[in-house]
Amino acid sequence: MLKDILLHPVFISLIVISIAFGLKAIVDKLAQQRAEKKQLDVRNTSHNIKHFINFVMMLLLLSTWAAEIQNFALSIAAFAVAIVIATREFIQCVIGFFYLVTTRPFKIGDWIQVGDYFGEVVETDWIKTTLHEIDINTYQFSRKTVYIPNNKLITTPIKNLNFSKRYVTHHFMIVRKESLNPYSIYETLSNKAKHYCEDFIDVACRYNSVIERKLDAQISGPEPQIHFGTTEIGEFKASFTLFCPIEKALDIEHKLTKDFMTLWYKELSKQSAKT
């Protein structure tokens, strides 16, 4: 009687599940201790170990229930087909997880864009990928969590923005309606931009070179760039491109906007005085 209970699939399954959850709890605790002691981000390693534990647990459960599953499948084959159709989204999510594991388009801690969503990857599991959403215009966390089904990651382009975690190619524009020759302020404005970037220009050059080597392509920077042009309706447009630390991007934008407006209205006053 006792032997039958010990060998029953339900009892074995409970043992396997308990051991698996216990191991994952130990992994979490050890990872937290190592992160606090070594000051390292071990989230990616911790998640990989837990995924392996889940995989082994699933294999053991399948082997435990193999005979019952086989008998069940043979007896209700038509119903099994209906189940597959009904759970195809779930199956696609699992396939999407294996796609992520094999292709490695990103890892825990990377910044990515999936469709219209930007965020930092904080967790991946069999069904979904979890992001902490980021406002791409301000480079700040929006305090929202985005859950993306893994099947979406197969059909939707994934942009890895991990290079933007430290330095970013920041673009912004200023549009004016007044008619004025802007090139009289170009040199002064360009010198202002270079002045705001001189504190980090050496590091920016090295970081820019690293990105170009990894991408095997030329990218803008590290020198700030200013281009004058017009909009589709003929209004004046000044376009700025900065390669700068992400935490300084908005501050430099505000300074250059202030400088531009000061110089613009100064030239506009001169023009009005002449007329």
Side-chain angles (χ1 to χ4, degrees), residues 4-103:
D4 292 337
I5 295 175
L6 294 176
L7 294 178
H8 197 278
V10 173
F11 182 78
I12 296 175
S13 298
L14 291 175
I15 295 291
V16 170
I17 293 172
S18 300
I19 293 174
F21 276 92
L23 289 174
K24 289 196 287 185
I26 293 172
V27 168
D28 280 334
K29 185 174 182 180
L30 292 176
Q32 184 178 1
Q33 291 176 351
R34 182 173 178 81
E36 293 174 353
K37 184 177 181 181
K38 301 287 186 177
Q39 297 296 317
L40 296 174
D41 188 352
V42 295
R43 292 179 297 174
N44 193 53
T45 303
S46 173
H47 277 80
N48 287 337
I49 294 173
K50 289 193 287 184
H51 289 325
F52 177 74
I53 293 173
N54 288 335
F55 181 70
V56 173
M57 179 183 69
M58 291 297 296
L59 289 179
L60 292 175
L61 291 176
L62 286 174
S63 63
T64 301
W65 291 91
E68 286 76 5
I69 293 174
Q70 184 177 9
N71 293 333
F72 177 77
L74 291 174
S75 61
I76 54 170
F79 183 67
V81 173
I83 291 177
V84 171
I85 294 175
T87 59
R88 62 181 178 180
E89 294 291 334
F90 174 81
I91 295 172
Q92 289 173 353
C93 287
V94 175
I95 294 173
F97 173 76
F98 282 105
Y99 165 75
L100 295 178
V101 171
T102 54
T103 59

Side-chain angles (χ1 to χ4, degrees), residues 154-274:
I154 301 177
T155 58
T156 305
I158 302 171
K159 294 183 181 181
N160 193 312
L161 308 176
N162 202 41
F163 284 129
S164 299
K165 289 185 69 174
R166 290 189 58 199
Y167 277 74
V168 64
T169 302
H170 182 62
H171 304 277
F172 67 96
M173 293 188 307
I174 301 175
V175 177
R176 304 301 304 164
K177 294 182 179 180
E178 299 90 352
S179 177
L180 178 69
N181 179 10
Y183 289 95
S184 57
I185 66 174
Y186 180 85
E187 185 176 354
T188 303
L189 197 61
S190 180
N191 290 334
K192 290 278 189 181
K194 292 177 182 178
H195 172 69
Y196 296 141
C197 297
E198 65 182 4
D199 290 341
F200 54 81
I201 190 65
D202 292 336
V203 178
C205 288
R206 293 196 296 270
Y207 199 74
N208 190 76
S209 299
V210 170
I211 296 175
E212 287 183 337
R213 286 198 301 270
K214 290 189 176 182
L215 296 179
D216 193 23
Q218 290 289 111
I219 60 174
S220 61
E223 292 288 337
Q225 299 177 12
I226 303 174
H227 297 286
F228 292 158
T230 58
T231 64
E232 294 179 355
I233 60 174
E235 295 178 342
F236 171 76
K237 176 180 68 175
S239 301
F240 297 79
T241 302
L242 307 170
F243 186 72
C244 58
I246 196 168
E247 67 274 8
K248 294 187 177 183
L250 294 181
D251 181 53
I252 296 176
E253 177 184 338
H254 293 158
K255 289 179 179 178
L256 285 175
T257 302
K258 179 182 177 181
D259 292 334
F260 175 85
M261 299 302 290
T262 301
L263 293 170
W264 179 268
Y265 281 108
K266 184 177 179 181
E267 289 297 317
L268 198 62
S269 298
K270 289 181 180 180
Q271 179 178 306
S272 299
K274 289 180 181 179

